[in-house]
Amino acid sequence: MPSTAGSGPPSRTRVGVFISGRGSNLRALIEASAAPHYPAEIVLVVSNRGDAAGLEWARRAGIPAVVIAESDRGRFAAAAEQALREHAVGLVALAGFMRILDTGFVDGWRDRLLNIHPSLLPAFPGLHPQRQALAAGVRFAGCTVHFVRPEMDSGPIIAQAVVPVHDGDDEERLSARILSAEHRLYPLALRLVAEGRLRIDGSRVVVAGGEAPAGILLNPREALVGTDS
Ligand code: GRF
């Protein structure tokens, strides 16, 4: 018997995840949403590539997946809209989705469309942000989950994770360190959105009951030699 208002578990936000490749962030979101009190569920996966390895995570979890191998932006958007409607999706999460979306689609999903990017935005938008970070010589890198606006890799920032850059890093090592941070960050950000705890105030996102970490991170660390401790 269907549950009635006031009884049964509260309804969860229905999420569609767009991918183009490996799908490790999709996997992290699927795993997070398996927890009984997680406020969102992944109900649809959309890929623009039939050979995206990440489709396997959807299959294993029994989540419907559609491939929309359509290079025309407008036609991709129309097909995606139809799939999202059919699955009553309320929120879209881009996770390694490598196509630029139609502006009408982005506007239509304003504040209900998230993206993850492997840099501390607004630094290093676009392709190969980890390579850009190494070339710039930054001591900290990281990842960002943000609401999507039509300009690439822009929009109000929901959450960020910081990782150190080590002197011996190459692109592969730094990318792997950032990727593990992504797998923690995206489920956290999606949770905040699904719980309705965010208020967008211009370009800033205010988190109700949000707590910022304390302290200062230095890289390199202060040397312990020569101190009294
Ligand atoms: C991630 O680094 C994500 O931030 C970027 O593309 C990569 C996708 O990885 N947008 P995966 O497909 O989630 O493993």
Side-chain angles (χ1 to χ4, degrees), residues 15 20 26 60 96 99 118 144 147 170 189 195 221:
V15 178
S20 297
L26 166 65
R60 285 194 201 179
R99 293 282 311 280
T144 303
F147 289 110
D170 57 13
E195 286 175 347
R221 289 197 292 183

Side-chain angles (χ1 to χ4, degrees), residues 19-27 94-98 115-119 130 143-144 175 178-179 182-183:
I19 64 168
S20 297
R22 180 177 53 187
S24 69
N25 278 291
L26 166 65
R27 180 190 184 187
L94 307 180
F97 182 69
M98 299 306 285
N115 181 43
I116 187 158
H117 184 76
S119 80
Q130 304 94 335
C143 48
T144 303
S175 300
I178 294 173
L179 192 64
E182 293 184 47
H183 298 159

Side-chain angles (χ1 to χ4, degrees), residues 111 147 149 156-159 189 192-210:
D111 301 343
F147 289 110
R149 296 291 182 263
I157 290 170
I158 299 167
L192 294 175
V193 178
E195 286 175 347
R197 288 172 56 188
L198 305 183
R199 182 170 56 79
I200 303 174
D201 182 7
S203 57
R204 298 187 68 176
V205 175
V206 181
V207 185

Side-chain angles (χ1 to χ4, degrees), residues 98-185:
M98 299 306 285
R99 293 282 311 280
I100 294 176
L101 284 164
D102 177 71
T103 307
F105 182 92
V106 173
D107 288 341
W109 286 84
R110 190 181 168 92
D111 301 343
R112 296 182 303 145
L113 179 59
L114 315 183
N115 181 43
I116 187 158
H117 184 76
S119 80
L120 295 172
L121 288 172
F124 315 132
L127 289 177
H128 308 301
Q130 304 94 335
R131 197 184 297 171
Q132 294 184 53
L134 287 170
V138 293
R139 287 282 175 185
F140 288 104
C143 48
T144 303
V145 177
H146 62 98
F147 289 110
V148 175
R149 296 291 182 263
E151 306 75 43
M152 198 200 318
D153 298 324
S154 75
I157 290 170
I158 299 167
Q160 293 184 306
V162 174
V163 303
V165 179
H166 297 169
D167 286 341
D169 273 350
D170 57 13
E171 193 178 347
E172 193 182 334
R173 270 198 294 267
L174 179 59
S175 300
R177 195 173 306 122
I178 294 173
L179 192 64
S180 348
E182 293 184 47
H183 298 159
R184 284 178 59 189
L185 189 71

